[in-house]
Amino acid sequence: MKSTNLIQAYLFRIVIYCILLAGFYIALYYITDQGPNCTSDWNRLIDRFWTTTRLVFVSFILLLLLSILLAAGQSFCDYWRKINRIDTIYVFIVGIGIKFFLFLLVLLGIIPIFLTAKGFNILLPNVGAYLSLIFANAMILQIYPHIYNELSSELQSAHIYGAMSGGIPPVKTFVKRICISSLDISKSLYINLLGFSIFVEYQFKEAGSSFQGLAYDFISALYDHENDWCMAFQAFCGIIIMILIVDTIWTFAKIIVTRKS
Amino acid sequence: MDKISTHYFNDPLLKFIQRIQWIPAIVPVLYLICFFNPFVFNTIFVPLCNTHPEYIEKFINGGVVYILPCFCAITITLCLCIFFASLTFFFQNHYFISSAISRLPNLLLETFPQIFWLYIISFTIDTSNNEYYIKWYIIIAITYSPIIIDQLNSRINDLREKNFILAETMVGQNRFVIFFRDIVWYYCIDIMVVQSVYLISSIISMEACMAFLMRISPDNSSSLGTLLNTLYFADIENKWTDSFLAMITNISTLFWLTLIVIISTIFTLNKIASSLEQKWTLK
């Protein structure tokens, strides 16, 4: 994608964010009958913002690292097999090891993960929140094949042999490819994790988790405070701002990568 | 396909692994047998479950709730996806319509988390009648539409430059006929079938998650997700138990049975979809 197209798409998304905010604000007139009356402190919103950012960002990094490790492991096995022709070990590692791990991850769906986290009260609630956010959604099943496909196409292309003969170490080419492929999916992954934080922040509150961020505020406004749409609007603003910041960083990073390559 | 992948797919060990992935399919089949012949369930499972008969009835009839809403949700979502994907074909010379308007659902749903959308919308649905399920499932299915729209768009973009499509256009064939017969019917039906199966599993898992964790469905509803929630909170007063063992022993067997049925159904549907996808890709 060209950088001009990226900027166009970014500007279009900003228009959508503005429409979403304006739409919610106008909807408040119809829902509350009295118009928006946001009594909550806006400074509190900033604290909530950082809490959610901390939770989502750390989970995002850990999930990305896990996917990269899995994809790199499988690509390495492919490469190893191509050179050494050791079928049995290859099948054992790739066929059983990684697939079994992925099978386990799918098995630990969101409900079993929450049950396990609730059952193990000995587990630190904050650690439990991180683990739930990482493993409870099946995002790893989308990220891992994406990075693996990119890496295997790099492995089969002439680039890597050209780079090696030119004196550039293959690790550098691999790292570059991993970074580019991770960047492609990072925005959707971040937004997905932000969505799942709604479950985690609300469910882990009772266990004493310190993660009471925007998602918690949002669900609490509608559920605990019996449809307090004004409070929900404030949390909504915070979420949109968070997404906007992530979107801006992502677009700039993407533009830089596009121009360099 | 290169040498490595051909060898990889023909490996006997991997074939065995592929086959054992069908094992979870036994559970939905057993569940169906129990539905059509409750005698099996009454003799084997009811003595084990030791719960209120009302819950057992809900468990047996819970699966039926999914059929009509899932059918409606898939039909409406596919129609919507075809409509948005058709814009890239019919308005290929108008950049704004073909790139921005056709991706509008994707932009709207990708810019804001799906679960937040579902959560906001759930508060606007009237949950007092049975039509609630149909609306709720349609909304869940629509939030998954970006994946289908993206796949259809890329397929249509590939096809519209092909010689046979260009030839038909030049001969003067109706563009609607070209689109619906030559593109959608002949070349996109595989995407739609595979994605429909994925969609059913996504609807079931999302409904179960939201009903269990957020208590969104009404208490008197009869879906399996609501049953999970009811059984869990009926058996455990304090949500955070002292130990894992205490939780396992406190919750009734029916809860675990329901959970196994949900997870196995999702597994089986995903396996069916991935097998279909693999077969069509190889063709």
Side-chain angles (χ1 to χ4, degrees), chain A residues 20-21 28 114 120 150 165 173 196 200 245 252:
Chain A
L20 283 175
L21 280 176
L28 281 179
F114 272 105
F120 284 112
E150 292 279 324
S165 59
T173 324
F196 270 87
V200 173
I245 292 167
F252 275 105

Side-chain angles (χ1 to χ4, degrees), chain A residues 206-224:
Chain A
E206 288 168 30
S209 152
S210 63
F211 295 118
Q212 290 176 34
L214 289 170
Y216 171 76
D217 248 19
F218 190 75
I219 192 167
S220 176
L222 295 178
Y223 197 77
D224 296 334

Side-chain angles (χ1 to χ4, degrees), chain B residues 32-272:
Chain B
L32 281 175
I33 293 169
C34 287
F35 175 70
F36 287 112
N37 186 7
F39 175 74
V40 181
F41 186 78
N42 289 334
T43 44
I44 302 169
F45 294 110
V46 171
L48 282 172
C49 290
N50 194 21
T51 32
H52 203 273
E54 187 195 346
Y55 295 144
I56 294 169
E57 202 184 321
K58 269 189 178 181
F59 172 73
I60 291 286
N61 298 324
V64 190
V65 177
Y66 293 105
I67 297 168
L68 181 67
C70 276
F71 179 75
C72 295
I74 287 167
T75 314
I76 290 172
T77 311
L78 286 181
C79 290
L80 199 76
C81 291
I82 290 171
F83 168 73
F84 277 103
S86 71
L87 295 177
T88 53
F89 180 77
F90 291 118
F91 298 94
Q92 47 188 294
N93 297 327
H94 299 81
Y95 178 75
F96 183 72
I97 298 174
S98 65
S99 68
I101 302 293
S102 70
R103 291 197 78 252
L104 197 64
N106 300 37
L107 284 166
L108 268 174
L109 294 166
E110 283 168 3
T111 46
F112 198 64
Q114 176 207 18
I115 293 165
F116 281 102
W117 279 122
L118 289 175
Y119 192 67
I120 294 171
I121 294 166
S122 71
F123 273 84
T124 60
I125 299 175
D126 179 20
T127 54
S128 56
N129 53 16
N130 283 332
E131 286 174 19
Y132 155 78
Y133 273 112
I134 298 176
K135 286 179 193 168
W136 183 226
Y137 283 36
I138 290 169
I139 290 161
I140 294 175
I142 286 172
T143 55
Y144 282 97
S145 63
I147 303 163
I148 309 173
I149 292 175
D150 269 346
Q151 288 201 5
L152 285 176
N153 265 340
S154 65
R155 183 67 65 89
I156 290 165
N157 279 332
D158 286 344
L159 285 169
R160 74 181 182 195
E161 304 297 331
K162 296 276 181 198
N163 287 339
F164 70 96
I165 298 290
L166 292 173
E168 283 201 51
T169 316
M170 286 177 79
V171 165
Q173 179 68 273
N174 190 335
R175 283 173 68 78
F176 280 95
V177 176
I178 297 173
F179 180 74
F180 286 105
R181 191 192 62 192
D182 299 336
I183 293 180
V184 174
W185 182 246
Y186 289 150
Y187 290 98
C188 295
I189 202 84
D190 57 334
I191 293 178
M192 289 194 288
V193 171
V194 169
Q195 289 303 322
S196 303
V197 183
Y198 275 129
L199 208 56
I200 299 170
S201 75
S202 308
I203 290 170
I204 294 170
S205 64
M206 187 51 79
E207 196 273 338
C209 282
M210 296 205 80
F212 175 64
L213 294 170
M214 318 284 261
R215 279 171 276 173
I216 278 170
S217 303
D219 289 340
N220 57 353
S221 66
S222 49
S223 80
L224 292 179
T226 322
L227 182 64
L228 276 182
N229 183 283
T230 318
L231 286 169
Y232 187 78
F233 288 100
D235 295 333
I236 290 187
E237 285 179 11
N238 179 19
K239 280 163 75 183
W240 292 86
T241 48
D242 294 334
S243 68
F244 192 57
L245 196 69
M247 191 190 71
I248 289 176
T249 47
N250 282 345
I251 299 176
S252 63
T253 320
L254 193 64
F255 175 87
W256 299 109
L257 269 180
T258 317
L259 193 62
I260 289 166
V261 167
I262 292 174
I263 291 174
S264 317
T265 313
I266 294 164
F267 256 131
T268 312
L269 289 168
N270 280 344
K271 184 65 194 156
I272 291 168

Side-chain angles (χ1 to χ4, degrees), chain A residues 2-12 251 255 259:
Chain A
K2 286 178 187 172
S3 52
T4 45
N5 287 356
L6 279 168
I7 294 166
Q8 262 183 1
Y10 174 65
L11 292 174
F12 194 71
T251 311
I255 288 168
R259 282 188 180 164

Side-chain angles (χ1 to χ4, degrees), chain A residues 220-232:
Chain A
S220 176
L222 295 178
Y223 197 77
D224 296 334
H225 292 88
E226 290 176 357
N227 297 0
D228 186 350
W229 286 95
C230 291
M231 192 178 160

